[in-house]
Amino acid sequence: MNLKLKDKTCIVTGATSGMGKAIAIAFHKAGANLVLSGRNEERGDLLAQNLENSIFLAGDVSEPKYNKKLVEIAIENFGKLDIVSLNAGILGLGNVIDLSIADWHTTLNTNLSSIFYISKYAIPYLEKNNGNILINASIAAFKSFPNHPAYCASKAGSVAVMKQMAVDYAPKIRVNAICPGPVDTPLIWDSAKAFEDPEKAVENAGNTTLLKRLGKPEDIASLALFLVSDDASWITGTAMNIDGGILNT
Ligand SMILES: NC(=O)c1ccc[n+]([C@@H]2O[C@H](COP(=O)([O-])OP(=O)(O)OC[C@H]3O[C@@H](n4cnc5c(N)ncnc54)[C@H](O)[C@@H]3O)[C@@H](O)[C@H]2O)c1
């Protein structure tokens, strides 16, 4: 077993599902102490029971106070904070005419403002230990998808704020993003509803990658583990695509 994150304290958002859950499990196997965040209390409590040295707190990442609480829990229980892995995300589907103003704001607040909130509270602690932040953005930061205006805007903004924070907080803190292509999680099935034939859309999403399959949450967790570990100690300000080659088609 490779304990790359032994004695590291990590906050993982979006931990109750999909990639965030796979990332939480990978960080746990690497020896980390975890503060887990998500909306579903039942799934979160079960996950925390199964991962030793982990605490789950249900809440809404678009609320500044909840982000502050996640940081406080890390400090109160584990005495320090080393890594923040941000995976919470929603789609906010609908073209510009159809999407309500409320849904535009909810999507931006959940996917983008939440990064600002938690970073604001976490950075003073991360600075003490040369910590790092890893943002789960998307290839939607660079490529447009039908009926995803709020999502694409939030993901492009996530990459921009990642690069900006990497400048302000170097050399003490590294800040990076991963940009997944189509990954087999509940979210991709919701995303497919924006297409006429959702089943076909998901099948096509996998087939149109160079590697002819959807990503697995574990594919993303492997990259996340590398990027937050000391193995990546000379990587900052980078948005790394992990997309089966789809942006190169
Ligand atoms: N699945 C894909 O194809 C894909 C591709 C690129 C990027 N992404 C991004 O990866 C990240 C993880 O997505 P996933 O595919 O694993 O989806 P998922 O739906 O399986 O998981 C999303 C997680 O975000 C949490 N969440 C959503 N809104 C929240 C809120 N307001 N407060 C707290 N938690 C909230 C949910 O509880 C859940 O744990 C997202 O940011 C998503 O945009 C997904």
Side-chain angles (χ1 to χ4, degrees):
M1 197 189 272
N2 188 343
L3 293 177
K4 280 178 199 276
L5 303 186
K6 189 166 162 36
D7 298 328
K8 302 284 187 194
T9 300
C10 314
I11 294 173
V12 180
T13 72
T16 52
S17 178
M19 287 181 242
K21 183 175 178 185
I23 287 171
I25 292 169
F27 286 10
H28 165 76
K29 285 185 182 157
N33 303 318
L34 297 173
V35 176
L36 304 169
S37 155
R39 287 176 302 184
N40 186 304
E41 202 140 354
E42 204 177 316
R43 285 206 302 262
D45 285 340
L46 187 64
L47 183 67
Q49 277 165 29
N50 289 328
L51 304 182
E52 209 184 327
N53 298 325
S54 72
I55 296 164
F56 173 72
L57 182 72
D60 181 349
V61 294
S62 68
E63 293 287 338
K65 273 188 194 157
Y66 174 64
N67 289 278
K68 188 163 184 265
K69 190 77 195 152
L70 290 172
V71 173
E72 284 168 0
I73 286 179
I75 302 305
E76 280 162 19
N77 288 274
F78 302 116
K80 66 188 183 107
L81 180 61
D82 303 282
I83 292 160
V84 177
S85 164
L86 300 176
N87 307 285
I90 55 169
L91 291 164
L93 291 183
N95 66 32
V96 164
I97 292 177
D98 296 337
L99 184 69
S100 70
I101 290 173
D103 285 351
W104 167 268
H105 285 298
T106 302
T107 308
L108 269 288
N109 287 340
T110 304
N111 296 2
L112 179 57
S113 301
S114 61
I115 296 171
F116 164 67
Y117 300 146
I118 199 155
S119 300
K120 178 184 255 320
Y121 301 120
I123 283 170
Y125 295 102
L126 296 175
E127 277 185 321
K128 293 182 185 174
N129 319 316
N130 293 105
N132 69 82
I133 300 172
L134 182 64
I135 297 165
N136 195 336
S138 169
I139 57 167
F142 313 113
K143 176 178 164 52
S144 298
F145 294 92
N147 297 312
H148 286 65
Y151 188 75
C152 291
S154 71
K155 294 302 183 178
S158 302
V159 169
V161 78
M162 173 280 291
K163 284 173 174 278
Q164 198 290 324
M165 291 195 295
V167 169
D168 274 353
Y169 297 104
K172 284 191 178 165
I173 299 178
R174 298 187 299 111
V175 190
N176 291 295
I178 46 179
C179 295
V183 180
D184 194 359
T185 69
L187 185 132
I188 199 172
W189 289 97
D190 285 344
S191 172
K193 291 176 192 156
F195 294 79
E196 256 176 41
D197 182 344
E199 291 264 336
K200 197 85 198 144
V202 174
E203 194 185 313
N204 283 346
N207 285 338
T208 50
T209 68
L210 291 179
L211 299 178
K212 302 291 173 213
R213 67 168 175 86
L214 293 176
K216 293 178 283 186
E218 293 73 21
D219 294 323
I220 312 305
S222 300
L223 177 61
L225 178 57
F226 165 69
L227 284 172
V228 302
S229 78
D230 290 344
D231 288 349
S233 63
W234 206 50
I235 300 179
T236 196
T238 289
M240 207 166 275
N241 298 331
I242 172 161
D243 66 349
I246 202 166
L247 280 190
N248 194 30
T249 56

